């Protein structure tokens, strides 16, 4: 997403032009109920949260954490934007820009409080996150992938993909990513489903 659509105007970042970030902590503004826009602001205590995300999902050093923003002081949803849009949002330190749409939802707080980790993956954000993930990824063959889609859950013991079974056994729970591991679906053609559970019964987030 190389642009931010704001009410009444479209704002684009100029190439090579860095925005000036206001001093001081960002002022968090509540999003009006039933509003047509969400105010995206920098994440509160971003360094600590990013450190936890990096550790749990095994994100590589080239992941750009400064491209993550939130729409609330509690950081229930984390949005991922392009570097150009990041400069615009970072310059809006007081949350005065009413954003109609910017970036994609990448992480969301899990409503289940007894989970191992409190942030789960959002399916729409996975294409931008997958290249940086080294943990919580289960690569399964077509047989397992189809079973997960049709049955909505699968006992770990029934996984036909040996490495996936071993990887799943090492997971205590929390969110994970099922990736179809076939020669024809690699790179930009990757097929995946966000899910959870780990051992003993992983399940995709599908309905």
């Amino acid at each position: 997403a190389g642009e931010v659509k704001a009410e009444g105007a479209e704002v684009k970042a100029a190439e090579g032009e860095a925005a000036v970030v206001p001093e001081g902590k960002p002022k968090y503004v509540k999003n009006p109920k039933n509003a047509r826009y969400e105010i995206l602001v920098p994440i509160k205590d971003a360094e600590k949260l990013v450190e936890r995300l990096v550790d749990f999902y095994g994100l590589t050093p080239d992941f750009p954490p400064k491209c993550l923003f939130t729409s609330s002081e509690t950081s229930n949803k984390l949005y991922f934007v392009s570097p150009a849009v990041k400069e615009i949002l970072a310059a809006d330190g007081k949350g005065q820009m009413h954003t109609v749409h910017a970036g994609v939802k990448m992480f969301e707080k899990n409503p289940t409080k007894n989970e191992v980790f409190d942030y789960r993956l959002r399916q729409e954000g996975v294409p931008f996150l997958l290249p940086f993930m080294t943990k919580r990824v289960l690569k399964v063959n077509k047989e397992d992938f189809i079973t997960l889609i049709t049955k909505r859950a699968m006992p770990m013991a029934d996984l036909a993909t040996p490495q996936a079974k071993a990887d799943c056994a090492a997971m205590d729970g929390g969110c994970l990513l099922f990736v179809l591991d076939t020669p024809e679906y690699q790179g930009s053609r990757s097929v995946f489903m966000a899910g959870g559970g780990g051992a003993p019964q992983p399940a995709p987030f599908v309905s």
Side-chain angles (χ1 to χ4, degrees), residues 69-90:
F69 286 78
T70 185
S71 58
S72 69
E73 187 173 2
T74 55
S75 300
N76 288 328
K77 298 174 184 176
L78 304 183
Y79 295 76
F80 184 76
V81 303
S82 70
V85 173
K86 181 258 296 183
E87 297 294 342
I88 298 174
L89 294 176

Side-chain angles (χ1 to χ4, degrees), residues 58-166:
L59 304 182
T60 56
D62 53 337
F63 174 74
K66 291 185 178 180
C67 288
L68 290 175
F69 286 78
T70 185
S71 58
S72 69
E73 187 173 2
T74 55
S75 300
N76 288 328
K77 298 174 184 176
L78 304 183
Y79 295 76
F80 184 76
V81 303
S82 70
V85 173
K86 181 258 296 183
E87 297 294 342
I88 298 174
L89 294 176
D92 181 40
K94 294 184 179 180
Q96 294 177 333
M97 180 181 293
H98 293 175
T99 310
V100 176
H101 180 74
V104 295
K105 292 175 185 175
M106 183 168 278
F107 300 102
E108 184 172 19
K109 275 192 176 178
N110 199 325
T112 306
K113 294 184 179 181
N114 61 350
E115 280 286 3
V116 173
F117 189 68
D118 54 348
Y119 278 90
R120 65 180 182 180
L121 302 171
R122 287 289 302 236
Q123 183 76 13
E124 61 266 45
V126 171
F128 304 96
L129 184 67
L130 182 56
F132 305 103
M133 290 180 66
T134 63
K135 295 180 182 178
R136 313 300 300 181
V137 177
L138 285 185
K139 294 183 178 182
V140 298
N141 61 23
K142 184 181 289 187
E143 177 187 347
D144 284 339
F145 201 83
I146 292 175
T147 301
L148 286 163
I149 293 175
T150 55
K151 292 187 177 181
R152 304 290 193 270
M154 186 177 191
M156 183 191 67
D158 292 347
L159 285 169
T161 312
Q163 188 58 51
K165 183 182 292 187

Side-chain angles (χ1 to χ4, degrees), residues 40-53:
L40 298 187
V41 294
I43 300 169
K44 189 176 183 179
D45 296 324
E47 188 174 340
K48 293 180 181 179
L49 177 53
V50 168
E51 185 177 332
R52 293 173 57 225
L53 291 169

Side-chain angles (χ1 to χ4, degrees), residues 20-47:
V20 178
V21 181
E23 295 181 359
K25 295 182 179 180
K27 180 180 179 181
Y28 290 89
V29 182
K30 288 186 178 181
N31 284 295
K33 191 174 182 180
N34 300 322
R36 293 181 292 114
Y37 54 80
E38 288 193 294
I39 301 171
L40 298 187
V41 294
I43 300 169
K44 189 176 183 179
D45 296 324
E47 188 174 340

